[in-house]
Amino acid sequence: MKTETRPATGGQTSGKRAVGRTRAGGGAAFALAVVLPPRFTPERVRNDRRYRTLDKYRFIVGFLALPLAFYAVFVISPFLQAIYYSFTDWAGGATANFVGFDNYVKMWHDERFWASLQSSLLLLVVVPLVTLALGIFFAYMITAGGRHRRGQAVSGVAGSSLYKIVYFFPQVLSIALIAVVWQQVYSSRSGLLNGLLGSVGLEGLEQRWLGGDYKLALFSTMAVIAWSFVGFYVVLFSAAMGAIPKDIYEAALLDGAGRAATFFRVTLPLIWDTVRTGWIYMGIQALDAFAVVLIMVPPHALKVTPVYLYERFREGQFGYATAIGVVLLVLSMVFTLIVMRVGRRDQIEY
């Protein structure tokens, strides 16, 4: 039997094992040499894995570099500049002297700021709850509120597609236009609301909805904000409910669950992540409420913190105004963390 060795690729000699096989035929013995490929050492496997990881991160960084650069320039940088200017006496000129926490001390003793913050916090707490509750209710009626049809575990009400369009209609309108329209609706002289009450014999319920009592102006503002955003959440929650497999509803119906039990034990837990995200988004929108209050409500009746901030800018108190903006930023972050903490549940997969 004859063994043969051949040089490995690259000029290196690897440990080769010759496998010989002898076949008798015609009195001659033939040797068949088989050369095995070089073995991979543990070091080489680790190096290949490291290179693959580097290639993966290079690919990710290559795609994210430009968007992150834009985000840093146009989002992170303004936030950092606002934080810096909140510690200065900047009045719009070329100079801004560092004054430490003077703006925050001034804010602490500013009664008008605390009055505006109280209004903003009430909007932050009440408006998301009302808006999300209405959005979930209407979405459930559209998705699963109709009569049971043959071959379907759940079915929406008749004309559900039309209802989605009607509910979503305020989203295509400018917020400034919404404020102007509702200002005319709430008008105490020629407003649609008082006119409607008078036409049905309820003149005693006519009110100065915006220019009179503070609480009445606050509730009127809440109604407008909820009306303008509820259509968005109807469409959002309808899409989330439509993604739930029908088999789950069929199993609930076989177990004898009614509509209420099906909603609270099946539908709501399965769309909870969407509800939590909508809660955060709606809270930030309610905390802002700048355009609605500025355009619709008289200044003496109601003032929220963003409007108070705008007035300080208009007066040239830029340093003080940016300090108020930083407080709004902190409130938004705290609200987001609270909602994520309180609304955290075990994820349900289906």
Side-chain angles (χ1 to χ4, degrees):
M1 183 173 62
K2 182 180 178 182
T3 60
E4 179 181 359
T5 60
R6 298 178 182 177
T9 303
Q12 297 180 354
T13 303
S14 61
K16 305 176 188 59
R17 183 178 57 185
V19 179
R21 185 178 65 182
T22 305
R23 184 180 65 180
F30 297 92
L32 180 62
V34 179
V35 181
L36 296 180
R39 295 182 178 180
F40 288 98
T41 62
E43 292 79 7
R44 184 169 182 177
V45 172
R46 286 196 297 269
N47 291 338
D48 290 345
R49 186 180 304 164
R50 183 182 62 187
Y51 291 143
R52 288 196 300 269
T53 303
L54 289 176
D55 290 339
K56 179 180 69 175
Y57 285 121
R58 288 171 184 169
F59 179 80
I60 294 174
V61 171
F63 272 92
L64 293 181
L66 186 59
L68 288 178
F70 275 98
Y71 186 81
V73 172
F74 295 106
V75 178
I76 302 300
S77 177
F79 277 121
L80 296 178
Q81 293 179 36
I83 294 173
Y84 166 74
Y85 284 119
S86 68
F87 294 100
T88 66
D89 61 353
W90 184 43
T95 59
N97 300 317
F98 185 80
V99 294
F101 290 92
D102 288 356
N103 289 324
Y104 295 95
V105 173
K106 178 182 178 180
M107 191 188 313
W108 181 262
H109 297 92
D110 191 348
E111 296 181 357
R112 293 183 299 171
F113 164 76
W114 288 108
S116 67
L117 185 62
Q118 179 183 358
S119 302
S120 294
L121 291 178
L122 288 173
L123 293 176
L124 177 64
V125 174
V126 178
V127 172
L129 296 178
V130 175
T131 306
L132 295 182
L134 291 175
I136 293 174
F137 173 76
F138 290 137
Y140 187 69
M141 290 296 102
I142 291 174
T143 306
R147 295 181 178 181
H148 295 298
R149 301 174 184 174
R150 182 176 300 178
Q152 295 184 5
V154 293
S155 58
V157 296
S160 57
S161 300
L162 177 62
Y163 288 133
K164 291 180 183 179
I165 296 174
V166 173
Y167 287 139
F168 193 77
F169 178 72
Q171 288 295 309
V172 303
L173 300 178
S174 169
I175 191 64
L177 179 60
I178 291 175
V180 171
V181 170
W182 278 96
Q183 184 184 41
Q184 299 302 316
V185 172
Y186 283 133
S187 175
S188 59
R189 295 182 179 180
S190 59
L192 178 62
L193 184 55
N194 282 343
L196 181 62
L197 293 174
S199 64
V200 296
L202 299 176
E203 294 85 354
L205 297 180
E206 296 181 2
Q207 302 286 339
R208 294 182 60 194
W209 300 100
L210 299 176
D213 184 59
Y214 162 78
K215 293 182 179 180
L216 193 58
L218 181 63
F219 288 133
S220 300
T221 304
M222 291 179 180
V224 173
I225 298 175
W227 177 86
S228 61
F229 283 99
V230 69
F232 171 79
Y233 292 103
V234 169
V235 176
L236 179 65
F237 295 147
S238 297
M241 294 177 186
I244 299 176
K246 304 302 181 183
D247 298 342
I248 299 178
Y249 286 113
E250 292 178 356
L253 293 176
L254 291 176
D255 291 339
R259 291 188 186 275
T262 302
F263 172 76
F264 287 104
R265 297 188 179 184
V266 176
T267 304
L268 187 59
L270 292 178
I271 67 169
W272 183 250
D273 289 341
T274 305
V275 173
R276 186 176 60 176
T277 303
W279 194 358
I280 295 173
Y281 177 74
M282 190 62 228
I284 295 174
Q285 292 293 330
L287 185 62
D288 183 10
F290 171 75
V292 173
V293 176
L294 181 66
I295 297 173
M296 186 180 70
V297 185
H300 67 274
L302 176 66
K303 191 170 295 182
V304 294
T305 306
V307 174
Y308 186 69
L309 182 152
Y310 166 73
E311 292 177 350
R312 304 289 77 74
F313 264 115
R314 192 172 56 185
E315 295 173 356
Q317 304 179 31
F318 295 150
Y320 185 50
T322 52
I324 298 175
V326 171
V327 172
L328 288 175
L329 171 64
V330 173
L331 285 177
S332 301
M333 296 178 63
V334 170
F335 172 77
T336 302
L337 293 176
I338 291 176
V339 172
M340 294 182 64
R341 181 70 177 178
V342 174
R344 184 176 59 184
R345 295 186 179 183
D346 294 335
Q347 187 174 6
I348 301 176
E349 297 181 357
Y350 53 89

